[in-house]
Amino acid sequence: MRLQLIAFAAVLQQLAPVPAEARHVTATVYDGWYAGRLQYCGGTYQHWGISATHPWLPCGTRVTVQHRGRVLTVPVRDRCDCGSLDLSAGAAAALGVPLDGIATVWISH
């Protein structure tokens, strides 16, 4: 019975509604080469921390990212010339985004 409930919960999580203001974007993983370097918004980049970079969102904006039923809220802490969103390795791992690839995710802020 417990396994059935867990399986049902997993299905419900995958069917979680996407907020109306959400949009599809391409997400990549912020390179580990930047670890320890200063960020545009202050502080240093922590490769396994939870953060994101974005080309135009204000510093400190909290972005809710959804990928394959997983949801995570990440702060924007840096600027990038990326297409739309770079995730730290920690955020990517938590969302199931491949660390060496590109994924399409839903974001809202």
Side-chain angles (χ1 to χ4, degrees):
M1 178 70 169
R2 182 170 163 77
L3 287 176
Q4 290 173 334
L5 288 175
I6 292 171
F8 182 68
V11 169
L12 284 180
Q13 185 180 19
Q14 290 177 358
L15 299 176
V18 175
E21 72 278 5
R23 59 188 193 136
H24 258 127
V25 299
T26 300
T28 56
V29 180
Y30 202 21
D31 196 316
W33 181 83
Y34 295 101
R37 296 181 186 271
L38 291 178
Q39 295 180 300
Y40 179 83
C41 302
T44 57
Y45 173 60
Q46 303 297 316
H47 190 58
W48 291 102
I50 303 294
S51 65
T53 66
H54 194 274
W56 52 266
L57 284 174
C59 291
T61 301
R62 298 188 66 76
V63 179
T64 301
V65 184
Q66 191 170 6
H67 178 67
R68 295 187 178 176
R70 296 182 185 184
V71 179
L72 183 67
T73 300
V74 297
V76 173
R77 294 198 175 141
D78 206 354
R79 293 280 178 261
C80 66
D81 58 357
C82 57
S84 59
L85 187 71
D86 261 354
L87 297 169
S88 64
L95 289 164
V97 171
L99 298 180
D100 61 348
I102 298 172
T104 301
V105 299
W106 287 96
I107 66 166
S108 59
H109 54 89

